[in-house]
Amino acid sequence: MPKKPSTARSSTSKKASNTAGAQKAKTAGRTRTTAKRRRKKPNNVRWYHRLLPSKGFILFLLLSGLLVFALGMLVLDYQIRAKFDGKKWAIPARVYARPLEIYEGMKLKPEELQRELAGLGYRAVKEIYQVGQYSQHSNTNSHSYRLFTRDFIFADKTQSAARYTVYFDRSKSIVSRVEGVGDDLVLRMEPQEIGSIYPRHGEDRILVKLENVPALLGETLIAVEDKEFAHHHGISLKGIARAMVANVKAGRFVQGGSTLTQQLVKNFYLTRERTLLRKIKEALMAPLLELRYSKAEILEAYINEVYLGQSGPRAIHGFGLAAQHYFNRPLNNLQPQHIALLVATVKGASYYNPWRYPERAKKRRDTVLAIMAKNQLISAAQQKKFAASPLGVVKRSSLKLGDYPAFLDLVKRQLRRDYRDEDLQSEGLRIFTTMSPNVQELTETAVKTHISRVNKAKQGNNLQAAAIITAVGSGEILALVGDRNPRYSGFNRAMDMRRPIGSLVKPFVYLSALALPEQYTLATRLDDSPVSIPLADGSQWIPKNYDQQSHGYVPLYQALALSYNQSTARLGMEVGLPQVINMLQASGVERSIAPLPSLLLGAVDMSPLEVSHLYHTLAADGVYTPLRAIREVLDTENQPLQRYPLASEPRLPPELSHLMHYNLQATMRMGTGRKAYNDLPDDLAVAGKTGTTNGQRDSWFSGYSGDHLGVVWVGQDDNKPTAYTGSSGALPIWSRVFGQLSTHGISNQQPDNIHYYWVDDTNGLLSAKDCQHAILVPFIEGSAPTTTTNCQHTDAPITRWFKKWFGR
């Protein structure tokens, strides 16, 4: 039978079972609570989703974004087309000197040709073999130059590079023969570029068309900068990957992945800033550019746009200008090693500057040559040969186009009469001027040398100078210097400085008298005693001679030759101030002149340019010609826009001009200009006049040969007195220039109504060839003396400087 305790155990089990159930229920409750909590969480997620945009809205945003992107691409496309189809660049005006034309019989010294060649950047070699070279050859009687000229486009024709030989007759300083010339028998050298008129941003370029670009240049550029150019659509993934690999291997940035198209976009359309936005624009615009334009158009634009160097404030853009900048030759005259150097500079024009870092530039050039050989553009033998050659760049000193600031200032002023500044800075005009590099260099050297010497001698540094050389007859200005430092681009004294001209006015006082042949001739006796002239305010004007001496009665020609003040003032008052003013204005003075007695001794302010106008009329036998610095202007297609033809007008009778030629030649032989023959050949007939103002504040000289007129001023900007007269300050500069210049003497062609007579120098009466004091003097018909003096024959007549020219 079961025992009682078992009932107790059953009760305990039951209790335990109840406890376990309760625990299970509690656990189940917790589980249900947790489940409830978990079931609430999905309700929270669904609430958050309700805050997110719907699929329709997301689609709207995507479509809107695509629309904005499309509009942005349209804007970029418009920007690309607007600039690429329009005027891509502001092309500066290019300014050229006059071309040297060489022909048989031309008066030209070998050293003058040498200076022209140096200015053009020609290189001396033993034997010429490429353009831009010359060689010299000499024998007993002749001297010759062999030249290999460059291509050049003139207004009348395109002149191709060619070989010539120029022979000189040493004894006569003339060209005896020219070999290689055509039917016109003239060798026309390409003109030297002397400057440009470029925009304020300073970019300069010479535009070239792709068909005129050497094939080797285009192929080398592609091989070095963008191998996949022919195949990609603006962006090259291969190029980017290749660049990444190269940079990782090198551990630094050694190669870029930009295509030529991307580089063009960056340089042509975008700024230089390194930002993500710029890179994005570049990546978007490159394919658009490829979509719109052919590879040929893109390559041509790149060749004209790329930055390749710096010349002072002028940025060198494009291979056309770079060829001139580095090698002083046209693009199509470059050799393979030259092309390699230009392509080498694309990577960094400053970093590979061949003047500043020649070893670095050569290493990069040789790398380009290796790439050219690898791509079979040149042979291995050529690579070795070219790599062994020097860089071949011109001397850095020959690169500056701002070397002639005073002359360019004159050119710009004359251009502004016909053209706007905007046109001069952006239309690519080609301006052909009258400047002679040879004459310019002679004038600059004479000014610098003389002023430096006198400043040093006087232990000061105050003297300044200006000078102008003009071609007689044409009125073309060949040289202009506006400062003792010809490279100074500030105040242009040749044009803007107006100072009293002193005795330079005297020839026009005497011309006014000689215009009255019934009263005055070259032999007329003038009174050089003291003179007192009443003025309007009741005071007296009492001019004195420079030597403070009076000379009694002297022949008119001698009073001018020796620049006597007293006789000149008396003569001017006798003739009349209005007549003197009329003579000055007929000869070229355009400003009004006050009718004051002091005018007779040069109290009238003029610039050296105005004096040149005045004296050119004398030098040109009385024919007035406006002086000019420009011959013609061509547009970008080399079509003439405007020519500046010779415009002349007879102002003075030929007989008056002949008398003044005679008188001013006397000035140079026996008067105040006689020291000039320390530098001049004795057989060169020149005429001129010195000028000195009160206190020797201004030193002037104006003189001419048969071909050239020169005007020189020396003085101080503060108008203080100097130690120099016209013969000691300005004349030495003039005589140094004319002593080295190839020029003909004055022809002294005798007008029909001029007759020569022997007269007595002491009384002005008729004399004879072998009589004492006899001189040969020209007279206007009907004005010669009729009374004969007593002749005292002599074996030693006075010096007849005139005999060799007048044939008497």
Side-chain angles (χ1 to χ4, degrees):
M1 280 183 78
K3 295 182 178 180
K4 291 275 186 177
S6 61
T7 303
R9 282 196 301 270
S10 176
S11 176
T12 302
S13 297
K14 187 176 180 180
K15 191 182 289 185
S17 176
N18 291 338
T19 301
Q23 185 67 33
K24 192 181 287 187
K26 188 175 181 181
T27 301
R30 288 199 191 103
T31 302
R32 285 194 296 273
T33 302
T34 302
K36 287 179 181 179
R37 288 175 182 166
R38 286 176 179 169
R39 282 195 298 272
K40 289 180 181 178
K41 192 170 184 179
N43 291 337
N44 290 339
V45 172
R46 285 195 297 272
W47 172 81
Y48 177 77
H49 275 196
R50 284 196 297 272
L51 295 180
L52 292 176
S54 65
K55 291 181 180 180
F57 187 70
I58 292 173
L59 182 61
F60 171 77
L61 287 178
L62 288 174
L63 291 174
S64 299
L66 287 173
L67 180 61
V68 170
F69 177 77
L71 289 174
M73 292 295 284
L74 287 174
V75 170
L76 292 178
D77 182 62
Y78 173 78
Q79 292 175 353
I80 287 172
R81 287 185 293 108
K83 190 168 184 179
F84 210 92
D85 291 339
K87 183 179 174 182
K88 295 184 179 71
W89 300 282
I91 309 300
R94 318 206 76 77
V95 185
Y96 297 92
R98 64 96 186 91
L100 176 63
E101 296 183 337
I102 305 174
Y103 51 88
E104 185 176 326
M106 177 185 185
K107 197 169 184 62
L108 182 71
K109 298 175 183 177
E111 53 268 31
E112 291 179 300
L113 177 57
Q114 183 89 23
R115 280 191 288 270
E116 292 274 354
L117 294 173
L120 287 168
Y122 275 62
R123 300 184 188 188
V125 295
K126 289 184 178 180
E127 292 294 339
I128 59 174
Y129 59 90
Q130 63 182 26
V131 297
Q133 294 180 338
Y134 72 92
S135 61
Q136 297 186 60
H137 307 272
S138 298
N139 56 38
T140 306
N141 299 319
S142 68
H143 189 84
S144 66
Y145 280 76
R146 293 176 185 168
L147 316 172
F148 202 151
T149 62
R150 307 182 182 105
D151 294 345
F152 193 82
I153 301 174
F154 290 97
D156 57 342
K157 67 176 182 178
T158 297
Q159 183 169 288
S160 300
R163 299 170 186 258
Y164 301 92
T165 304
V166 181
Y167 295 89
F168 288 90
D169 184 332
R170 283 181 166 178
S171 62
K172 299 179 181 179
S173 293
I174 63 171
V175 176
S176 58
R177 191 165 84 257
V178 183
E179 290 183 353
V181 294
D183 295 337
D184 57 1
L185 304 179
V186 175
L187 160 56
R188 180 164 55 172
M189 301 290 295
E190 67 272 20
Q192 178 182 336
E193 186 177 345
I194 60 173
S196 58
I197 306 171
Y198 45 83
R200 290 181 181 178
H201 58 58
E203 288 188 9
D204 196 2
R205 54 176 51 83
I206 296 176
L207 292 186
V208 293
K209 294 183 178 180
L210 194 60
E211 58 263 31
N212 298 325
V213 173
L216 184 61
L217 171 60
E219 291 169 345
T220 302
L221 184 63
I222 292 171
V224 173
E225 291 295 321
D226 189 356
K227 291 182 179 180
E228 303 298 325
F229 179 69
H231 307 293
H232 64 65
H233 299 287
I235 298 174
S236 173
L237 298 179
K238 286 184 180 180
I240 294 171
R242 185 170 53 249
M244 290 177 63
V245 171
N247 294 335
V248 169
K249 286 182 178 179
R252 57 190 175 89
F253 183 84
V254 295
Q255 184 176 330
S258 295
T259 64
L260 286 178
T261 310
Q262 286 177 276
Q263 292 179 45
L264 177 61
V265 167
K266 177 180 66 176
N267 297 329
F268 195 52
Y269 293 101
L270 305 175
T271 64
R272 294 181 178 272
E273 60 181 354
R274 294 175 176 269
T275 63
L276 179 61
L277 179 60
R278 189 194 66 78
K279 290 298 292 182
I280 292 173
K281 277 188 174 182
E282 179 185 311
L284 293 175
M285 294 177 79
L288 286 175
L289 190 64
E290 292 267 358
L291 182 65
R292 288 288 183 183
Y293 303 98
S294 68
K295 292 288 186 179
E297 291 173 301
I298 292 170
L299 183 60
E300 181 178 284
Y302 183 92
I303 286 171
N304 285 303
E305 170 61 29
V306 63
Y307 172 74
L308 293 171
Q310 194 76 26
S311 178
R314 191 173 61 121
I316 308 300
H317 284 259
F319 285 90
L321 182 58
Q324 297 282 359
H325 176 65
Y326 290 110
F327 306 109
N328 204 0
R329 61 178 65 189
L331 187 59
N332 56 3
N333 288 159
L334 295 184
Q335 297 296 309
Q337 69 271 28
H338 303 145
I339 289 174
L341 180 61
L342 292 188
V343 174
T345 59
V346 172
K347 190 174 182 181
S350 299
Y351 188 78
Y352 294 107
N353 185 319
W355 293 290
R356 185 172 295 177
Y357 310 111
E359 293 181 1
R360 185 187 294 170
K362 186 178 184 304
K363 184 177 179 181
R364 176 61 183 167
R365 183 204 67 177
D366 293 348
T367 299
V368 173
L369 287 170
I371 296 173
M372 293 167 72
K374 182 179 179 181
N375 286 269
Q376 299 181 340
L377 302 177
I378 58 175
S379 67
Q382 287 177 312
Q383 178 199 348
K384 185 176 179 181
K385 173 186 173 183
F386 297 143
S389 67
L391 292 173
V393 293
V394 296
K395 291 181 180 178
R396 196 170 191 177
S397 59
S398 66
L399 301 174
K400 299 177 182 177
L401 294 184
D403 277 355
Y404 311 106
F407 189 90
L408 288 173
D409 181 27
L410 171 62
V411 169
K412 290 174 185 177
R413 295 191 201 190
Q414 292 192 358
L415 284 170
R416 287 186 181 117
R417 301 172 189 170
D418 305 305
Y419 300 94
R420 301 176 303 164
D421 283 345
E422 179 184 350
D423 296 330
L424 295 175
Q425 294 172 356
S426 64
E427 295 299 327
L429 304 181
R430 301 174 73 216
I431 300 155
F432 292 86
T433 73
T434 61
M435 195 194 90
S436 164
N438 170 51
V439 180
Q440 181 73 27
E441 182 177 338
L442 287 176
T443 308
E444 290 178 358
T445 301
V447 168
K448 287 189 296 184
T449 302
H450 182 69
I451 297 301
S452 175
R453 181 178 62 79
V454 297
N455 275 338
K456 185 177 180 180
K458 295 297 179 181
Q459 296 181 345
N461 194 34
N462 299 319
L463 278 186
Q464 269 291 356
I468 301 177
I469 309 296
T470 307
V472 171
S474 67
E476 293 188 340
I477 297 174
L478 305 177
L480 188 144
V481 176
D483 190 277
R484 66 188 179 196
N485 174 11
R487 303 292 172 264
Y488 177 68
S489 60
F491 183 55
N492 190 345
R493 292 166 187 80
M495 299 179 65
D496 298 326
M497 177 210 67
R498 291 179 173 81
R499 300 287 280 268
I501 64 173
S503 296
L504 292 189
V505 79
K506 289 178 181 177
F508 303 92
V509 176
Y510 284 77
L511 275 172
S512 302
L514 293 170
L516 306 170
E518 67 281 0
Q519 294 178 276
Y520 300 98
T521 70
L522 291 173
T524 300
R525 311 285 291 171
L526 299 183
D527 183 4
D528 191 55
S529 62
V531 60
S532 179
I533 298 172
L535 301 178
D537 61 0
S539 62
Q540 297 288 316
W541 180 51
I542 307 175
K544 299 290 185 182
N545 286 329
Y546 177 76
D547 61 3
Q548 301 298 310
Q549 302 293 318
S550 297
H551 305 95
Y553 281 88
V554 295
L556 182 147
Y557 84 88
Q558 193 176 103
L560 176 56
L562 298 175
S563 203
Y564 291 157
N565 291 335
Q566 294 171 174
S567 52
T568 301
R570 184 179 277 109
L571 176 66
M573 294 306 294
E574 290 174 1
V575 172
L577 293 176
Q579 284 69 29
V580 174
I581 292 173
N582 288 340
M583 183 62 69
L584 285 166
Q585 292 176 334
S587 299
V589 175
E590 296 181 347
R591 64 178 62 248
S592 61
I593 302 174
L596 301 174
S598 57
L599 157 70
L600 302 172
L601 299 185
V604 53
D605 292 352
M606 292 188 193
S607 69
L609 183 60
E610 289 175 306
V611 172
S612 296
H613 274 93
L614 186 64
Y615 267 78
H616 183 266
T617 304
L618 284 185
D621 300 324
V623 178
Y624 171 77
T625 302
L627 302 188
R628 58 185 181 140
I630 304 169
R631 287 184 172 181
E632 61 184 350
V633 178
L634 307 183
D635 64 14
T636 53
E637 300 299 323
N638 298 305
Q639 296 301 310
L641 284 180
Q642 186 157 351
R643 286 190 169 93
Y644 294 79
L646 180 65
S648 58
E649 175 189 354
R651 293 280 185 91
L652 306 179
E655 59 271 20
L656 276 186
S657 298
H658 187 82
L659 296 182
M660 192 49 60
H661 288 335
Y662 176 99
N663 207 150
L664 294 182
Q665 287 175 77
T667 302
M668 300 302 291
R669 284 292 175 175
M670 53 161 295
T672 56
R674 61 187 180 275
K675 289 183 180 179
Y677 279 94
N678 293 336
D679 295 310
L680 301 178
D682 187 62
D683 61 350
L684 181 65
V686 297
K689 184 70 188 77
T690 56
T692 310
T693 59
N694 289 341
Q696 299 179 183
R697 289 175 169 83
D698 302 280
S699 170
W700 288 93
F701 185 79
S702 180
Y704 54 90
S705 65
D707 301 326
H708 300 94
L709 163 69
V711 173
V712 180
W713 170 87
V714 172
Q716 297 189 147
D717 287 341
D718 58 9
N719 202 30
K720 290 183 179 179
T722 74
Y724 301 98
T725 63
S727 60
S728 61
L731 177 60
I733 295 175
W734 183 93
S735 59
R736 182 168 296 184
V737 174
F738 276 68
Q740 299 178 72
L741 195 59
S742 286
T743 189
H744 293 90
I746 297 171
S747 67
N748 291 308
Q749 185 174 356
Q750 186 174 328
D752 292 340
N753 60 343
I754 287 288
H755 304 284
Y756 277 79
Y757 296 89
W758 290 97
V759 299
D760 190 304
D761 198 42
T762 62
N763 56 29
L765 302 180
L766 288 176
S767 184
K769 181 177 180 180
D770 296 324
C771 296
Q772 193 174 25
H773 306 302
I775 61 169
L776 191 63
V777 178
F779 291 88
I780 296 176
E781 188 172 10
S783 67
T786 56
T787 305
T788 303
T789 189
N790 293 324
C791 176
Q792 298 181 12
H793 289 279
T794 177
D795 294 329
I798 64 174
T799 301
R800 296 188 181 117
W801 50 267
F802 42 77
K803 185 174 181 180
K804 66 183 70 174
W805 300 312
F806 299 112
R808 309 292 182 179

